[in-house]
Amino acid sequence: MASFKAPNSLIFLLILSFLELCFGARKLTSLYQPPPMVLTYHNGVLLSGDVPISILWYGKFTPTQKSIVSDFILSLNPTQQQKGLSPKTPPVSQWWKIVDTYTQMATKKSTLILLSNQISDESYSLGKTLTRSQVTELAAKASSKPGGLSLVLTDENVTVEGFCMSNCGFHGSDFEKKSAFIWVGNSVTQCPGQCAWPFHQPIYGPQGPPLVAPNNDVGLDGMVVNIASLLAGTVTDPFGNGYFQGPADAPLEVASACPGVYGKGAYPGYAGELLVDLSTGASYNAQGVNGRKYLLPAVFDPSTSSCSTVV
């Protein structure tokens, strides 16, 4: 039986809507120092060791769009990082190292994400309006190995139950089969202000200029942000009894605990201090294989009990 976990991808938008209300009370609240947040381990199975990931491309994606995601997956593996990359820019594998801290604490074994296979469904075999159960069906088609992870990606023409209204993606699992999956949709034509920020102006809060997407694709670069957040949550809480805070049906996980944070000094409506490509003006905070640049979300670092960014 499948279970689902939403990544709280829209939390930062709620924070933005309350920004003006909270501003007037800032002097009073500054006197109170809340206790540090802790993500509790609920003694469940995590995804550790070699974890093969299969991608199902549902709809029409260009070869370039596919390579943006596949290069990100490959970049999680430190052995894939190529020579010649700028030593001043953190590699994607450094970001993953923070996530991997959780699996090492629980199992003393690192998690190595391996790109297994990719399948394309350009004919929209289940239509262009999907329920969550149909996403589960697609994930089952993509998964080829027990204990693996499926990544279902839908194009900009596909609507999925809850998309834009309550989430930008979600992860789910089947404990009996020890399998997990992630779904993320391309929001560029449906809700970029919700699911592709900071590459698009938010629908709520301060309306600063959006950042230039590092791969010049607002939809796909926004998908990478959500894939990264959900991948961190899936590995550390695949079956609902891993690392999280709050109720199990609406958990704060290692990345969803840090919404809207990408660089140091981030606050609601401001992604933080980031690196900028001088030739394109694109903002990013990590580099991957094949010269790719990415903007990756902050994750909650158990060693500091705070949201950690790579820049």
Side-chain angles (χ1 to χ4, degrees), residues 71-151:
D71 283 349
F72 167 67
I73 300 298
L74 292 172
S75 299
L76 296 170
N77 187 336
T79 62
Q80 294 285 343
Q81 294 285 263
Q82 297 178 350
K83 296 180 180 180
L85 298 179
S86 172
K88 296 181 179 180
T89 305
V92 170
S93 58
Q94 181 176 322
W95 174 85
W96 183 251
K97 186 177 180 180
I98 305 172
V99 179
D100 193 42
T101 300
Y102 287 90
T103 54
Q104 291 187 53
M105 288 192 305
T107 68
K108 298 182 179 180
K109 193 173 185 180
S110 293
T111 299
L112 183 61
I113 301 295
L114 304 172
L115 184 57
S116 176
N117 65 302
Q118 301 184 57
I119 303 171
S120 295
D121 185 346
E122 295 187 354
S123 63
Y124 306 98
S125 61
L126 299 181
K128 295 184 179 181
T129 301
L130 303 178
T131 63
R132 287 195 168 205
S133 61
Q134 287 177 312
V135 171
T136 303
E137 182 180 340
L138 290 173
K141 290 182 179 180
S143 180
S144 59
K145 298 180 180 179
L149 177 62
S150 299
L151 178 58

Side-chain angles (χ1 to χ4, degrees), residues 50-232:
D50 292 350
V51 178
I53 185 168
S54 302
I55 304 176
L56 191 151
W57 300 93
Y58 190 81
K60 295 177 173 60
F61 291 89
T62 67
T64 298
Q65 289 179 321
K66 291 180 178 180
S67 67
I68 292 172
V69 174
S70 60
D71 283 349
F72 167 67
I73 300 298
L74 292 172
S75 299
L76 296 170
N77 187 336
T79 62
Q80 294 285 343
Q81 294 285 263
Q82 297 178 350
K83 296 180 180 180
L85 298 179
S86 172
K88 296 181 179 180
T89 305
V92 170
S93 58
Q94 181 176 322
W95 174 85
W96 183 251
K97 186 177 180 180
I98 305 172
V99 179
D100 193 42
T101 300
Y102 287 90
T103 54
Q104 291 187 53
M105 288 192 305
T107 68
K108 298 182 179 180
K109 193 173 185 180
S110 293
T111 299
L112 183 61
I113 301 295
L114 304 172
L115 184 57
S116 176
N117 65 302
Q118 301 184 57
I119 303 171
S120 295
D121 185 346
E122 295 187 354
S123 63
Y124 306 98
S125 61
L126 299 181
K128 295 184 179 181
T129 301
L130 303 178
T131 63
R132 287 195 168 205
S133 61
Q134 287 177 312
V135 171
T136 303
E137 182 180 340
L138 290 173
K141 290 182 179 180
S143 180
S144 59
K145 298 180 180 179
L149 177 62
S150 299
L151 178 58
V152 178
L153 303 177
T154 52
D155 75 10
E156 61 189 84
N157 299 308
V158 178
T159 59
V160 175
E161 181 183 356
F163 189 30
C164 298
M165 294 180 289
S166 61
N167 62 65
C168 301
F170 57 79
H171 70 86
S173 63
D174 188 324
F175 185 75
E176 293 181 358
K177 296 181 179 179
K178 296 293 187 294
S179 64
F181 69 89
I182 295 169
W183 162 76
V184 173
N186 188 335
S187 66
V188 69
T189 59
Q190 299 182 52
C191 54
Q194 292 170 284
C195 297
W197 185 86
F199 308 125
H200 190 280
Q201 287 183 308
I203 59 173
Y204 303 117
Q207 296 296 302
L211 303 181
V212 177
N215 293 287
N216 197 34
D217 191 318
V218 171
L220 263 292
D221 280 302
M223 290 181 79
V224 169
V225 170
N226 292 306
I227 290 169
S229 176
L230 285 160
L231 184 59

Side-chain angles (χ1 to χ4, degrees), residues 4-6 8 42 237 240-241 243-253:
F4 299 95
K5 289 286 164 53
N8 293 338
H42 296 79
D237 185 31
N241 52 9
Y243 284 96
F244 65 87
Q245 184 187 70
D249 58 347
L252 283 180
E253 297 176 329

